[in-house]
């Protein structure tokens, strides 16, 4: 069991060292901006659909 733990520890340390050496961390800012814009568009789309459904429901004549 101790050998397994040491091997796992060595593997994790080696992976961390490898990730720290890699300078390419991606375009985080662009990803965040695009994700935020998509969320805003989705919320706006839901609001438009809800407004149209409410207007349509209110325009139904129930004969009363």
């Amino acid at each position: 069991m101790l050998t397994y733990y040491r091997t796992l520890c060595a593997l994790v340390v080696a992976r961390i060292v490898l990730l720290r050496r890699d300078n390419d961390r991606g375009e985080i800012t662009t990803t965040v901006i695009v994700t935020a814009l998509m969320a805003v568009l989705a919320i706006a789309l839901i609001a438009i659909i809800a407004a149209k459904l409410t207007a349509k429901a209110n325009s139904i004549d129930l004969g009363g």
Side-chain angles (χ1 to χ4, degrees):
M1 186 68 174
L2 187 58
T3 305
Y4 176 75
Y5 176 72
R6 285 182 182 168
T7 304
L8 184 63
C9 246
L11 183 65
V12 169
V13 168
R15 183 70 177 145
I16 289 172
V17 168
L18 199 95
L19 287 173
R20 285 189 177 178
R21 231 185 274 159
D22 188 16
N23 289 331
D24 183 26
R25 298 190 186 248
E27 299 178 8
I28 294 173
T29 307
T30 305
T31 305
V32 169
I33 291 171
V34 169
T35 304
L37 286 174
M38 289 176 68
V40 168
L41 288 174
I43 291 170
L45 182 65
I46 290 171
I48 290 169
I49 291 172
K52 287 189 178 208
L53 285 174
T54 304
K56 185 66 173 177
N58 289 335
S59 70
I60 296 175
D61 184 21
L62 299 176

